[in-house]
């Protein structure tokens, strides 16, 4: 008996092949190759099962009780697999396709073919923000920096913040976002909101010259708190802030609370296309 296929999987007609959603647009294409016992008029089914982005099982129907045509007896049974269903699956997890047929002319399947297992790679984009091209300027509370990837708002607090040139190493890239400019200890602290222009599945950025306690709060698209990261220790030399939300959730914004003269730069972010 033949095993169902998705034609975009590589290598083709191979168990555990990779179905990379970045390599094609629109729906995928399924094909059940001809088999000696298939006849026109028989009913057939193709089902998919996998793991949803939230970690729960996800099952969907490609087609159900479909009538095989004369042409399909020799060419095989072909059908689109909706991209909307494939997009629901967790990245780097398996999808299993099961083809069954009612060879006795009935409405219930009595023959099930071997399953096809494929590895799904979601279309994930990786982007960076280095504040390249941003002019040097600082401002007081209410000021905004708008870049292609984010809008940064100085929400509250005294003193100044904005874009200034500083270092150029693993943590800096020339222009950086400065907070509490030239102030060793700000009371009250400054708060800065970063609204992202994509729904992020991961984020990493550098925080440099932080000497007093700081905090980063990550929010979902409904402004519900996803996580709070506290950084009480002094770390002048710089460190990486990294966060990926639970499966099925995305980062829409974050808020940085800062008490002293320090810098944020060198963002790397990912989002689903």
């Amino acid at each position: 008996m033949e095993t169902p296929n998705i034609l975009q999987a590589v290598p083709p007609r191979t168990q555990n092949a990779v179905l990379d959603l970045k390599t094609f647009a629109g729906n995928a294409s399924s094909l059940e190759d001809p088999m000696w016992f298939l006849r026109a008029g028989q009913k057939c089914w193709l089902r998919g099962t996998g793991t949803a982005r939230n970690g729960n099982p996800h099952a969907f129907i490609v087609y159900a009780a479909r009538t095989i045509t004369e042409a399909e007896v020799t060419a095989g049974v072909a059908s689109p697999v909706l991209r909307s269903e494939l997009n629901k699956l967790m990245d780097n997890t398996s999808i299993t396709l099961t083809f069954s047929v009612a060879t006795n002319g009935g409405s219930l399947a009595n023959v099930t073919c071997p399953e096809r297992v494929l590895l799904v790679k979601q279309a994930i984009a990786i982007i960076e923000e280095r504040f390249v091209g941003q002019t040097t300027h600082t401002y007081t509370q209410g000021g905004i920096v708008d870049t292609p990837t984010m809008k940064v708002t100085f929400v509250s607090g005294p003193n100044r913040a904005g874009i200034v040139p500083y270092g150029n190493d693993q943590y800096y890239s020339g222009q950086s976002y400065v907070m509490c400019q030239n102030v060793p200890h700000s009371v009250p602290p400054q708060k800065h909101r970063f609204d992202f222009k994509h729904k992020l599945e991961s984020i990493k950025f550098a925080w440099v010259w932080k000497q007093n306690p700081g905090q980063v709060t990550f929010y979902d698209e409904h402004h519900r708190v996803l996580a709070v990261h506290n950084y009480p220790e002094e770390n002048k030399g710089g460190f990486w802030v990294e966060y990926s939300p639970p499966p099925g959730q995305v980062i829409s914004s974050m808020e940085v609370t800062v008490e002293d003269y320090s810098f944020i730069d060198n963002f790397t972010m990912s989002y689903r296309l």
Side-chain angles (χ1 to χ4, degrees):
M1 289 190 289
E2 298 291 343
T3 303
N5 297 288
I6 290 184
L7 301 183
Q8 289 81 3
V10 178
R13 290 178 165 80
T14 303
Q15 205 71 299
N16 299 309
V18 175
L19 180 62
D20 188 343
L21 301 190
K22 293 193 299 293
T23 62
F24 64 96
N27 299 327
S29 305
S30 71
L31 177 66
E32 179 68 27
D33 287 324
M35 292 177 281
W36 66 268
F37 54 82
L38 293 185
R39 300 288 185 271
Q42 292 173 343
K43 302 293 185 184
C44 62
W45 293 257
L46 182 62
R47 298 176 176 87
T49 58
T51 303
R53 293 171 62 185
N54 62 8
N56 293 329
H58 177 65
F60 61 96
I61 295 173
V62 180
Y63 47 82
R66 170 175 170 167
T67 301
I68 298 175
T69 66
E70 288 285 357
E72 289 171 335
V73 171
T74 54
V77 182
S79 177
V81 180
L82 295 181
R83 194 176 189 92
S84 59
E85 292 292 348
L86 297 174
N87 283 341
K88 295 175 184 177
L89 300 174
M90 185 185 294
D91 183 44
N92 209 35
T93 60
S94 295
I95 179 176
T96 300
L97 297 171
T98 305
F99 178 85
S100 55
V101 59
T103 60
N104 56 8
S107 58
L108 297 176
N110 65 328
V111 174
T112 299
C113 292
E115 296 176 336
R116 173 70 71 201
V117 179
L118 303 172
L119 182 66
V120 175
K121 295 282 190 180
Q122 290 291 346
I124 303 293
I126 307 296
I127 55 174
E128 296 180 339
E129 181 57 68
R130 301 292 188 261
F131 301 112
V132 173
Q134 293 293 316
T135 59
T136 299
H137 66 292
T138 61
Y139 42 73
T140 56
Q141 177 181 331
I144 291 174
V145 172
D146 199 359
T147 82
T149 66
M150 64 182 68
K151 182 175 77 171
V152 188
T153 305
F154 183 175
V155 176
S156 65
N159 308 305
R160 302 185 71 82
I163 300 294
V164 298
Y166 199 76
N168 204 327
D169 58 21
Q170 63 173 324
Y171 297 123
Y172 308 96
S173 295
Q175 297 289 73
S176 301
Y177 188 74
V178 63
M179 304 171 294
C180 299
Q181 187 182 29
N182 298 320
V183 177
H185 190 195
S186 176
V187 180
Q190 289 185 356
K191 291 183 182 292
H192 301 267
R193 187 177 70 248
F194 294 70
D195 292 298
F196 303 112
K197 296 184 179 180
H198 299 283
K199 297 176 181 179
L200 303 181
E201 298 207 346
S202 69
I203 185 169
K204 176 182 178 181
F205 64 91
W207 194 346
V208 193
W209 275 102
K210 187 191 73 64
Q211 300 176 67
N212 293 319
Q215 184 181 84
V216 181
T217 303
F218 299 96
Y219 297 92
D220 69 8
E221 54 197 325
H222 305 293
H223 203 64
R224 295 177 298 213
V225 174
L226 290 167
V228 179
H229 289 189
N230 290 298
Y231 301 98
E233 299 86 6
E234 176 183 304
N235 199 325
K236 296 179 183 180
F239 62 98
W240 294 106
V241 176
E242 298 184 63
Y243 178 63
S244 296
Q249 296 183 297
V250 293
I251 307 163
S252 180
S253 63
M254 72 178 190
E255 186 174 82
V256 176
T257 302
V258 55
E259 297 182 5
D260 65 306
Y261 185 23
S262 55
F263 304 84
I264 282 179
D265 203 355
N266 286 14
F267 284 80
T268 301
M269 300 165 281
S270 70
Y271 67 94
R272 192 175 298 232
L273 296 171

